[in-house]
Amino acid sequence: MTTKDRSLEALGLDDVPAKKPLTYPGRPTTEPSLLTGGELLQLDVRPLRLGEWFVEERQEQQRLDEALADLGQVGTGRRHPVIAVGSNASPGQVAHKLTRLGLPATVPMVPVRVGGIAVGCSGHISPAGYVAGTPYVDRTAETTLVVTWLDATQLKAVDDTEFPDYRRAILPGDEFAMTMPSGERLAGAYIYFSAHGVLADPETGLPRRGGGDQSELLSSLLAASARLRGLLGPDPAAWVRGAGADRSLRAEGTLIFGQEGWVLPQTDFLPYVDESAELRLYDDLPPLDDSLPRRA
């Protein structure tokens, strides 16, 4: 049993951007954790594969794979590592996405250092009304991103929330270094990238950095376009209220992004697009340097 309150509400991680768009991208977990229902349990990192880490505040010396089995869920080896960009790093959003479909919100979530990837802003307006994040390739970048370990049913559910606005790729670890807190270098992980391209910074022409305050982003976009102000203004609250309720406004706003010349195409991920019928599991992806055992 837990010894202290690890509920998402008590931790301040219960924001759901799908319900409150201006909170996007929500608050990500900042420590290795096991999301289970409305709780977020800490993981004690060991120099071993993920399933051998210990779950704190649950049972003494219980490994993560044992805890998952006790919950009636598949172990880490039968799950798919997925890099979260945007609200999929937020425990509140992940729990909402899964529980509203009647699926168990039991997901290991681990911050991982990822090389070669930065976070930008998608060139479209999402169904909730916000402008979501998207990864883009920047070979000089190193970004800490949350990796979620999803079972097959959970991955299908997340696919359904991402498609057709996003596509799924699998990043090879020998080209994009992905380093776990344990020191393990992941051999690969899935990632979703925008099918609508990435917004450019009008001053530099380079991708506009994403993942920050949504109100600030929308205010900046409104200030830069009289057409957007006329369609979705005068302020961020009006933007998300109107866009979240009207698909035609979202479509027109997305069109304006392109007409203003703000959208850069996303082509760097295309060589890694995943079209295989057989999805890779964590068990299929031994550490690149083979420095960590599969089992203790």
Side-chain angles (χ1 to χ4, degrees), residues 55-96:
V55 180
E56 296 186 0
E57 301 167 332
R58 181 171 172 80
Q59 291 183 17
E60 186 177 353
Q61 295 296 295
Q62 188 177 37
R63 292 177 174 85
L64 175 55
D65 277 349
E66 293 171 342
L68 289 169
D70 281 355
L71 293 166
Q73 306 302 310
V74 298
T76 55
R78 305 301 299 168
R79 290 172 176 263
H80 311 282
V82 182
I83 299 170
V85 176
S87 63
N88 286 342
S90 164
Q93 182 88 325
V94 173
H96 169 73

Side-chain angles (χ1 to χ4, degrees), residues 5 12 44 55 61 63 73 126 149 164 219 229 232 234 252 262:
D5 192 348
D44 182 15
V55 180
Q61 295 296 295
R63 292 177 174 85
Q73 306 302 310
S126 77
W149 267 259
S219 293
R229 290 195 299 277
L232 295 170
E252 188 172 351
W262 294 345

Side-chain angles (χ1 to χ4, degrees), residues 190-265:
Y190 289 101
I191 196 168
Y192 295 95
F193 68 97
S194 177
H196 299 275
V198 60
L199 291 183
D201 184 322
E203 294 186 2
T204 66
L206 299 174
R208 178 191 288 264
R209 288 301 177 114
D213 182 83
Q214 182 70 191
S215 290
E216 182 178 330
L217 171 61
L218 300 187
S219 293
S220 175
L221 296 175
L222 287 168
S225 172
R227 293 182 62 193
L228 278 178
R229 290 195 299 277
L231 181 71
L232 295 170
D235 54 35
W239 175 311
V240 296
R241 185 169 56 249
D246 190 331
R247 176 183 291 184
S248 66
L249 289 181
R250 296 195 296 272
E252 188 172 351
T254 297
L255 186 63
I256 290 173
F257 288 172
Q259 293 171 340
E260 294 283 6
W262 294 345
V263 180
L264 301 172

